[in-house]
């Protein structure tokens, strides 16, 4: 299970309940998606669109080395009817949730009207909002995700969004927070770990760097998704952003030690912590 579905899988593995809202086609892959999220006890908000075959990606690997990927997908913008169905599910699910994760792969599903609905619902129900734009094979703008509790850009995404190649990382991150009106920002730095920027109660920016704990990663595919999940679950559970980020170090380290984007469960995290501090 990939896309936003794998983020939901990470959330579920951490012990939280969650519902997945996404769009699939009317095909065998869609049936497999429904069956898989049902087996994982993830609530289904799946919507069927006959004009959009279910996104399918296949990776070719030799001796743990990924050679290339073939993707079959449609990235045209969803119809007004599909948009209405998504908005209805957001409103319905929001009545029983603590946080909303936006995992946008830039395939035409996350529209401005949907983002506006999420902002309105979050304010009304006092819900945390976490935003990530997945730009590995397509171009998206993290600046479209406004008024989030936490956004998750990497340096390249931040510079593209702000059209800024020269500014230092600290000021760049602060400018992105101001531009998006986001309370916090997690800047992903690949093999150098990540930095968390927090706008505290005194309206001052506080930053803390967190290193990558794995020197020789096997596969970095799941690092970002696992980090998005643990930060969202931790903050939605009432933990501070810096406490949760410390756990995020462990989770992203575990994610890159195995081939494939596999959800990290609580047992694995506890075992990692015991080994790290014993």
């Amino acid at each position: 299970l990939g896309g936003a579905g794998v983020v939901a899988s990470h959330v579920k593995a951490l012990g939280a309940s969650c519902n997945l809202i996404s769009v699939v086609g009317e095909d065998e892959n869609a049936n497999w998606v429904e069956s898989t999220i049902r087996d994982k006890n993830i609530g289904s908000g799946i919507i069927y669109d006959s004009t959009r075959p279910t996104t399918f990606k296949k990776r070719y690997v030799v001796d743990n080395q990924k050679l290339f990927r073939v993707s079959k997908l449609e990235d045209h913008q969803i119809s007004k009817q599909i948009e209405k169905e998504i908005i209805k599910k957001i409103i319905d699910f929001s009545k029983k949730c603590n946080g909303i994760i936006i995992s946008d792969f830039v395939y035409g599903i996350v529209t401005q009207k949907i983002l506006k609905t999420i902002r309105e619902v979050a304010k009304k129900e006092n819900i945390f909002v976490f935003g990530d734009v997945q730009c590995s094979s397509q171009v998206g703008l993290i600046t479209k995700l406004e008024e989030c509790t936490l956004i998750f850009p990497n340096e390249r995404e931040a510079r593209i969004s702000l059209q800024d190649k020269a500014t230092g990382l600290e000021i760049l991150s602060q400018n992105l927070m101001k531009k998006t009106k986001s309370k916090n920002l997690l800047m992903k730095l690949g093999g150098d770990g990540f930095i968390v920027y927090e706008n505290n109660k005194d309206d001052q920016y506080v930053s803390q760097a967190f290193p990558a704990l794995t020197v020789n990663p096997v596969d970095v595919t799941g690092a970002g998704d696992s980090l998005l999940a643990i930060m969202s679950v931790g903050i939605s559970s009432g933990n501070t952003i810096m406490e949760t980020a410390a756990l995020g170090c462990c989770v992203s380290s575990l994610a890159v030690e195995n081939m494939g984007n596999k959800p990290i469960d609580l047992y694995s995290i506890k075992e990692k912590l015991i080994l790290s501090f014993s």
Side-chain angles (χ1 to χ4, degrees), residues 19-260:
N19 297 295
L20 171 65
I21 301 174
S22 193
V23 180
V24 296
E26 295 179 351
D27 49 37
E28 290 185 14
N29 286 330
N31 296 334
W32 182 87
V33 169
E34 281 277 18
S35 174
T36 302
I37 63 174
R38 186 166 56 247
D39 291 343
K40 291 176 178 288
N41 291 318
I42 296 170
S44 176
I46 295 296
I47 295 167
Y48 291 85
D49 182 353
S50 60
T51 70
R52 181 187 294 269
T54 306
T55 299
F56 182 78
K57 299 179 181 180
K58 191 170 184 177
R59 291 175 174 85
Y60 292 82
V61 180
V62 177
D63 294 332
N64 281 347
Q65 293 293 319
K66 286 189 289 185
L67 299 183
F68 60 91
R69 183 183 74 191
V70 176
S71 300
K72 295 180 180 179
L73 58 94
E74 286 287 343
D75 59 0
H76 62 269
Q77 186 142 319
I78 53 174
S79 67
K80 294 298 182 183
Q81 179 56 40
I82 297 293
E83 185 181 60
K84 285 180 182 178
E85 291 182 46
I86 291 174
I87 287 172
K88 183 178 185 306
K89 288 183 183 294
I90 290 170
I91 294 170
D92 289 344
F93 287 149
S94 67
K95 296 170 184 176
K96 295 183 179 180
C97 78
N98 301 105
I100 297 173
I101 300 174
I102 305 166
S103 185
D104 182 11
F105 282 76
V106 202
Y107 292 155
I109 295 176
V110 182
T111 66
Q112 286 299 324
K113 192 169 183 179
I114 286 171
L115 290 173
K116 182 173 181 287
T117 299
I118 291 173
R119 290 195 296 271
E120 291 172 349
V121 164
K123 287 178 182 178
K124 180 181 178 182
E125 305 292 344
N126 196 27
I127 296 170
F128 298 105
V129 179
F130 308 92
D132 188 21
V133 176
Q134 307 268 7
C135 297
S136 59
S137 57
Q138 53 283 334
V139 178
L141 297 178
I142 191 73
T143 45
K144 70 188 283 189
L145 305 181
E146 298 179 340
E147 299 178 35
C148 291
T149 307
L150 178 62
I151 53 175
F152 295 75
N154 58 38
E155 184 177 354
R156 174 178 172 272
E157 291 166 354
R159 293 196 182 282
I160 289 174
S161 293
L162 295 177
Q163 291 294 288
D164 185 344
K165 295 181 179 180
T167 303
L169 201 58
E170 191 85 9
I171 301 301
L172 180 77
S173 300
Q174 292 179 19
N175 288 343
L176 186 53
M177 291 172 72
K178 292 173 184 176
K179 178 77 172 178
T180 59
K181 302 176 186 175
S182 295
K183 295 179 182 177
N184 308 285
L185 180 147
L186 189 152
M187 181 66 73
K188 295 177 288 188
L189 301 174
D192 293 323
F194 59 89
I195 303 174
V196 173
Y197 295 88
E198 179 182 17
N199 194 347
N200 64 21
K201 295 178 181 178
D202 299 322
D203 203 29
Q204 295 178 329
Y205 292 101
V206 178
S207 64
Q208 176 65 53
F210 293 86
L213 299 181
T214 301
V215 179
N216 296 309
V218 175
D219 183 5
V220 299
T221 303
D225 292 328
S226 62
L227 193 56
L228 173 60
I230 186 69
M231 295 302 296
S232 303
V233 172
I235 293 171
S236 296
S237 301
N239 297 312
T240 69
I241 187 170
M242 296 302 179
E243 288 172 341
T244 309
L247 285 176
C249 257
C250 296
V251 171
S252 54
S253 173
L254 286 165
V256 301
E257 289 175 0
N258 300 289
M259 179 59 67

